[in-house]
Amino acid sequence: MSSATKTKTAKKGVSRFGRLLGLGAERFMPVPQLVAVADGLVVTATGAEAWFVLSSANTDLMPEPAQDAEQDAAALALAKVLPGYDAHLKVLWSPLDGEVYRAEAHEMFTAGDVEAFADMWAQRLDGLDLPQRHLLLGIKIAERATATNATVKDATSSALGLRHTGLAEGELAQLDAAVRRLERRLEATPWRARIAPVELLAWAISRESYRPQPAPPKLPVVTGASLVRLSLSRAIPHSDHLQLLDARGETAAWVAMLAMPAFPEAIHTPGEQEWLRCLSEIRYTHESGDELLVCPEASVRFTVWRKGAAIKAVDKVRQSAKEQRRSAAENSAGETLAETEETELVMEALRQRMSRDSMTLLEDHPRLLVASAESLEDLRARCDAVISHYAGLSIDVIVAADEQREMWLESQVGDMLRVADLGHIRETDALAASMFWGGSEAGDDEGPIAGLLTGTTPGVVRFDITAGSARGDATTTAYLGRSGRGKTTAMMLATLTAAMRGAYALMLGFKGDEIGLIRAGEYLGLPSHHVTCGIDTPGVADLFRMLQRGEAALQVVSQMLIMLPERMRNQGVETHLLRAVNEIAEHHDPASWRVVDLLKDSDNELARDAGQALAEVARTQLGAPVLGRPRDGASPLRPEAGLWLVQVPGLTMPQAGTRPADMTMNERVSLALMRGLIAYALNTASRADLRNLPKVISVPEVHVLTGTDDGKRFLDLVARMGRALDTSLAIDSQDPNSLLGLDGVLEAITTVFGFEQSTRVQQDALAELLRLPVGEASRALIHGVGKTAHGVIRHGHCIVRDRFDRVATMQWDSPSYELLRALSTNPKHQAEDAERDQSGREEGELEPEDEGADHRADFVKAGSEG
């Protein structure tokens, strides 16, 4: 008898035995033998599957019409891209491992005490125990052998002492081409699918064993012994669960497989009945009394029917119902069953829809996997919570009695559908309505962690304020909201993180409460420079000292002109200023105070008057930093990497469009000082010797600048040229409405963090910047984002619109209480810290405050509060 005949006979025997028990043959098929794993590809002895990572959509804050469009697009994608394919959807969860982020931190951060910073974040993430969602889609693309034939071949090879677990290069190339063709089609769907990297697939395979596994080798293809080690597992099936054993034979976890045998006739979306999106919302009461997330995983095997086959099946049901109706009418004096008539009408309407629209049918087999590493009792409490949650949605969920082994096997990557009699045949809309890719998502795929998502899907928000230029994008970030909601602290955290990445980070402080940036920088071992522009710091903002020699002269003349009275400008004092500045520019140590002295000693009366006037200005709080003679030990601004905080208290800026003749003395000197700082910032950003150094210019209370023509020009220039100069701009304002007229800034904004706003005008402006629909719903969202349901302020809680235009709610986070306290802008905290620093210096010892996580401000609260 030939091997093919043997295989057929064996399969028929299994099928016959299965039918006698009312079971399908698939239940008794052996476990497929893994042959190779590569990027986007899992090959077994019986077939090959293409695997893709699906991107999440941010549906939590998406308007209802947009959610409807998203669901329709997904149903269309199922009907157009996947007809005829056997597909496997997996929703997996993994804890955010502090050790993994520690390794990332050593690659991301290059300045300061990197080790301490990495330790802080690792401990913080381990304490949060935050799950991350992974969406994987597998599609069968090739048959290699039947299950029985593969078993016979494997047994024969073993008997002969042969073993071949490799994959021919030609076959691998063909399979890889098929994977990439599918990827091109799936990229255009709402899931924005991309090929799953081999490391992710190896993790998805090995994690099922609950055994510690070695990291997969970084090779194009994982085969042989490496693949065997990744797939080792041992499970003992019981009636209602499986007991997974570790390498020593001890219980590593308890797992239960849940089936979903019945769904309501109609599912209402958007809303709670999004039956796979809601996985992240299920909680249970732990034995400790805490409410914890269950995070059940999902395995859905499905096949989208081809349009012709689907229409044929519908016609068959409709014809059967029609014949039953006729037969009943003939035998029951014209009376027919209502169910028969309804079936006929429904099938007729369904056929018309399928002929008219792109909708078709699919057969799906949804399973839920619940696991516990604590105890069997904990597993059952989790299962009860899942069943109760779905019962509230009118969806039946049951523990699959006596089917645990089969369902657990079919949930594995590379396996097959084994329990075929617990499936559903329905429209593609039914699977799309699960919104498995919906929830909360925001931020970058990699980079520093900035905070936590607070929508329906737990996770972190990664954000790098300096990354725009590297990816060829715009470089402006906006922090907008009312006072006291944490926007300045959030901007300081982002600026601090940029400095840890080796950037030149400059903050222009117009409020006077930003000193925490320097305290935090020193705490992390960063080179930190604090320059306060005042009477005690003469000459620190002298443009001769801040700019290159050839670029300073005209800027100094511009500064001095704006500070002098209108009558002197009308008398032609500009010529005398330019002559004096040019002469001093040739000096070996040029300085503005030397220009003032030269003017005072001039033979020209107008020049002497100008010198006397500028000398008097140099004695004032705002004039001394520009025109004063520097003192020994003073630290001028220098273009060096690290943190730079330049505080300018007491600025009184003129309104935009005010003529110099109408400005007060205070406004003129304030404008001159601000012009000097702007010139310094622009010059530093464009220096050739710093071109390869990422740079950040952060401006709290940016409405101080948007109210002046000079400030608007500065913001517009930095925003437009930021990418070319590798300079990122961060702006913080209580007045988002003032930004709407700044086209250059608006075009350059890639990320917006919107905090609470109270007035209708500002709420509508912020909604527009967040790209939310302007209306009552958005106003209510913006008004309530900074408070809990009980009215308690939630510092650091905001709405983020990322560079992908995804909108979500998030909570800014800090890796330690001490770092957050150092950054505090609260006057009381700053006074206490200053007093403690002073007493520590007097005693010769300064101990860092350690109040522990229980005393964290609510700025760093974790969780999923709205």
Side-chain angles (χ1 to χ4, degrees):
M1 185 182 292
S2 68
S3 61
T5 308
K6 285 181 180 178
T7 301
K8 276 185 185 176
T9 304
K11 189 170 183 179
K12 284 181 180 178
V14 171
S15 298
R16 196 175 299 117
F17 179 67
R19 282 195 295 272
L20 287 174
L21 299 178
L23 305 174
E26 296 81 3
R27 282 176 165 85
F28 304 97
M29 290 297 178
V31 178
Q33 177 68 43
L34 287 173
V35 174
V37 178
D39 286 339
L41 191 62
V42 173
V43 183
T44 68
T46 58
E49 295 176 347
W51 280 90
F52 304 94
V53 179
L54 307 185
S55 299
S56 298
N58 214 328
T59 59
D60 284 349
L61 301 184
M62 191 180 286
E64 188 168 324
Q67 291 188 54
D68 291 339
E70 184 88 2
Q71 181 177 323
D72 291 343
L76 180 62
L78 290 169
K80 291 292 187 182
V81 180
L82 298 179
Y85 286 105
D86 291 333
H88 187 191
L89 171 67
K90 288 181 71 69
V91 182
L92 308 177
W93 299 93
S94 69
L96 189 62
D97 191 344
E99 289 304 314
V100 173
Y101 190 72
R102 186 198 302 274
E104 291 182 35
H106 283 94
E107 297 179 2
M108 287 189 293
F109 304 119
T110 59
D113 192 344
V114 175
E115 190 66 36
F117 198 54
D119 285 344
M120 289 180 202
W121 270 115
Q123 293 175 17
R124 175 64 175 151
L125 295 176
D126 287 340
L128 288 172
D129 192 23
L130 197 66
Q132 293 185 104
R133 186 176 67 175
H134 306 273
L135 302 175
L136 295 177
L137 177 64
I139 301 171
K140 192 166 188 178
I141 56 175
E143 290 277 2
R144 302 184 76 231
T146 64
T148 309
N149 193 33
T151 303
V152 172
K153 182 178 179 181
D154 188 55
T156 304
S157 299
S158 298
L160 296 175
L162 304 174
R163 192 73 172 175
H164 178 66
T165 57
L167 190 65
E169 290 188 6
E171 183 180 4
L172 179 62
Q174 291 179 354
L175 294 174
D176 182 69
V179 171
R180 297 188 184 280
R181 285 195 297 271
L182 264 177
E183 183 191 33
R184 286 194 294 271
R185 299 181 66 189
L186 288 168
E187 275 181 334
T189 66
W191 316 306
R192 304 185 304 281
R194 61 189 186 278
I195 288 175
V198 64
E199 292 84 3
L200 179 62
L201 290 175
W203 167 81
I205 293 169
S206 65
R207 66 188 293 278
E208 303 294 347
S209 67
Y210 283 84
R211 297 182 178 189
Q213 298 288 346
K218 294 186 179 298
L219 300 173
V221 183
V222 180
T223 59
S226 298
L227 187 57
V228 171
R229 284 196 300 271
L230 288 173
S231 56
L232 282 175
S233 62
R234 184 181 176 192
I236 301 176
H238 297 271
S239 174
D240 61 348
H241 70 280
L242 294 106
Q243 187 178 0
L244 299 182
L245 306 182
D246 60 19
R248 295 176 299 178
E250 298 177 356
T251 302
W254 293 264
V255 174
M257 299 301 302
L258 278 60
M260 307 180 77
F263 284 81
E265 290 186 7
I267 293 177
H268 299 284
T269 58
E272 292 182 347
Q273 284 189 306
E274 296 167 351
W275 52 277
L276 286 180
R277 195 272 306 155
C278 72
L279 290 173
S280 58
E281 299 177 350
I282 304 175
R283 293 177 176 270
Y284 81 110
T285 302
H286 188 260
E287 62 179 10
S288 64
D290 296 331
E291 288 285 325
L292 302 180
L293 288 171
V294 177
C295 289
E297 298 184 349
S299 171
V300 183
R301 291 188 177 271
F302 66 94
T303 302
V304 179
W305 291 7
R306 298 185 186 278
K307 180 63 70 71
I311 291 177
K312 185 177 180 180
V314 169
D315 278 341
K316 184 176 180 180
V317 175
R318 182 179 61 84
Q319 187 64 33
S320 175
K322 184 177 181 180
E323 291 175 358
Q324 290 180 29
R325 175 177 58 80
R326 288 177 175 175
S327 175
E330 292 174 358
N331 299 326
S332 304
E335 295 181 4
T336 60
L337 293 174
E339 291 84 352
T340 304
E341 293 182 350
E342 183 182 3
T343 299
E344 184 179 359
L345 292 174
V346 168
M347 291 299 105
E348 179 63 33
L350 182 59
R351 192 193 192 289
Q352 291 177 3
R353 284 184 58 201
M354 293 172 65
S355 301
R356 181 179 65 250
D357 302 330
S358 298
M359 187 271 297
T360 186
L361 300 180
L362 60 78
E363 181 177 356
D364 64 341
H365 302 264
R367 321 284 190 235
L368 300 179
L369 184 152
V370 181
S372 172
E374 293 187 23
S375 66
L376 182 58
E377 290 73 20
D378 184 68
L379 172 69
R380 286 171 174 158
R382 292 169 182 254
C383 291
D384 290 344
V386 173
I387 293 171
S388 297
H389 180 87
Y390 278 100
L393 307 181
S394 300
I395 298 174
D396 288 348
V397 174
I398 60 171
V399 176
D402 300 319
E403 300 276 12
Q404 292 293 308
R405 173 188 175 274
E406 289 73 22
M407 285 194 177
W408 182 70
L409 287 174
E410 78 172 21
S411 71
Q412 309 297 307
V413 172
D415 208 281
M416 66 187 78
L417 177 66
R418 292 177 177 271
V419 185
D421 50 345
L422 287 177
H424 309 273
I425 298 174
R426 44 190 176 171
E427 304 172 18
T428 51
D429 279 335
L431 183 56
S434 72
M435 293 299 288
F436 55 84
W437 71 102
S440 293
E441 189 79 12
D444 299 324
D445 296 330
E446 56 186 13
I449 293 175
L452 314 174
L453 291 167
T454 57
T456 60
T457 307
V460 296
V461 179
R462 293 177 180 261
F463 173 66
D464 182 3
I465 201 172
T466 66
S469 179
R471 59 175 176 255
D473 199 359
T475 57
T476 300
T477 303
Y479 300 78
L480 307 171
R482 65 181 296 187
S483 177
R485 293 302 182 265
K487 64 183 183 303
T488 302
T489 306
M491 185 169 71
M492 288 196 291
L493 273 170
T495 305
L496 186 71
T497 303
M500 291 291 296
R501 302 203 71 181
Y504 166 84
L506 168 67
M507 178 172 283
L508 300 177
F510 300 124
K511 290 170 59 178
D513 62 354
E514 306 90 356
I515 187 60
L517 182 67
I518 299 302
R519 293 177 61 88
E522 293 171 346
Y523 177 72
L524 294 176
L526 286 167
S528 305
H529 311 274
H530 179 208
V531 178
T532 301
C533 295
I535 195 70
D536 297 327
T537 54
V540 294
D542 187 344
L543 289 180
F544 271 123
R545 306 183 73 186
M546 295 192 298
L547 306 184
Q548 297 178 5
R549 184 183 294 263
E551 300 175 353
L554 291 177
Q555 295 286 356
V556 171
V557 171
S558 176
Q559 263 190 330
M560 291 183 173
L561 272 176
I562 198 67
M563 287 188 281
L564 290 172
E566 178 74 8
R567 63 175 182 82
M568 290 188 180
R569 293 195 294 272
N570 292 336
Q571 292 173 7
V573 74
E574 182 176 356
T575 302
H576 299 287
L577 292 178
L578 184 59
R579 184 182 300 115
V581 167
N582 284 335
E583 182 176 340
I584 294 301
E586 300 298 326
H587 194 276
H588 73 279
D589 183 21
S592 295
W593 66 267
R594 295 184 188 277
V595 176
V596 175
D597 285 353
L598 184 61
L599 289 171
K600 287 167 58 180
D601 296 337
S602 174
D603 294 334
N604 183 275
E605 182 179 1
L606 179 59
R608 287 197 305 274
D609 289 346
Q612 289 293 342
L614 292 173
E616 292 302 317
V617 172
R619 298 172 60 186
T620 65
Q621 179 81 10
L622 298 176
V626 178
L627 302 175
R629 184 192 296 259
R631 298 173 181 173
D632 293 338
S635 176
L637 291 169
R638 299 184 303 274
E640 299 175 1
L643 279 176
W644 289 86
L645 172 62
V646 182
Q647 289 186 297
V648 195
L651 276 185
T652 305
M653 302 303 299
Q655 293 297 313
T658 304
R659 296 189 312 112
D662 298 329
M663 295 179 189
T664 65
M665 170 65 77
N666 196 12
E667 290 174 340
R668 292 206 308 271
V669 179
S670 295
L671 183 59
L673 176 55
M674 190 192 73
R675 280 185 176 181
L677 296 176
I678 287 174
Y680 161 71
L682 289 174
N683 179 266
T684 302
S686 59
R687 286 175 65 106
D689 57 337
L690 300 179
R691 186 58 60 90
N692 295 327
L693 182 70
K695 298 167 283 291
V696 176
I697 300 175
S698 300
V699 187
E701 304 299 324
V702 76
H703 48 265
V704 173
L705 296 183
T706 57
T708 68
D709 294 326
D710 289 70
K712 288 180 178 179
R713 283 194 294 269
F714 163 69
L715 295 173
D716 187 82
L717 185 61
V718 175
R720 290 181 185 274
M721 297 181 62
R723 183 187 62 80
L725 300 176
D726 200 1
T727 299
S728 301
L729 176 64
I731 54 178
D732 147 18
S733 179
Q734 300 178 32
D735 183 15
N737 191 56
S738 66
L739 298 178
L740 296 183
L742 304 178
D743 291 342
V745 176
L746 293 180
E747 287 293 333
I749 290 177
T750 59
T751 306
V752 176
F753 297 100
F755 296 76
E756 180 187 347
Q757 291 282 5
S758 298
T759 66
R760 183 188 182 102
V761 171
Q762 300 296 354
Q763 289 168 355
D764 288 349
L766 182 55
E768 188 171 337
L769 291 168
L770 290 169
R771 296 182 184 163
L772 291 172
V774 176
E776 287 302 325
S778 295
R779 294 186 195 113
L781 173 66
I782 293 169
H783 181 67
V785 73
K787 301 187 187 74
T788 67
H790 303 292
V792 179
I793 296 176
R794 304 172 68 183
H795 298 285
H797 195 257
C798 65
I799 308 165
V800 55
R801 190 258 291 173
D802 67 9
R803 64 189 178 96
F804 302 107
D805 283 341
R806 297 176 300 189
V807 183
T809 56
M810 68 166 286
Q811 175 73 52
W812 278 84
D813 198 12
S814 166
S816 75
Y817 170 80
E818 291 78 16
L819 181 61
L820 181 65
R821 178 59 183 265
L823 287 169
S824 176
T825 60
N826 187 308
K828 179 182 177 182
H829 292 167
Q830 292 184 352
E832 291 174 354
D833 293 343
E835 182 180 351
R836 189 178 65 251
D837 289 351
Q838 181 63 31
S839 62
R841 282 190 292 269
E842 291 174 355
E843 296 172 7
E845 183 179 3
L846 185 61
E847 293 289 340
E849 182 174 355
D850 182 10
E851 298 186 26
D854 291 340
H855 296 274
R856 284 174 179 266
D858 60 353
F859 182 82
V860 292
K861 278 186 179 176
S864 302
E865 304 176 51

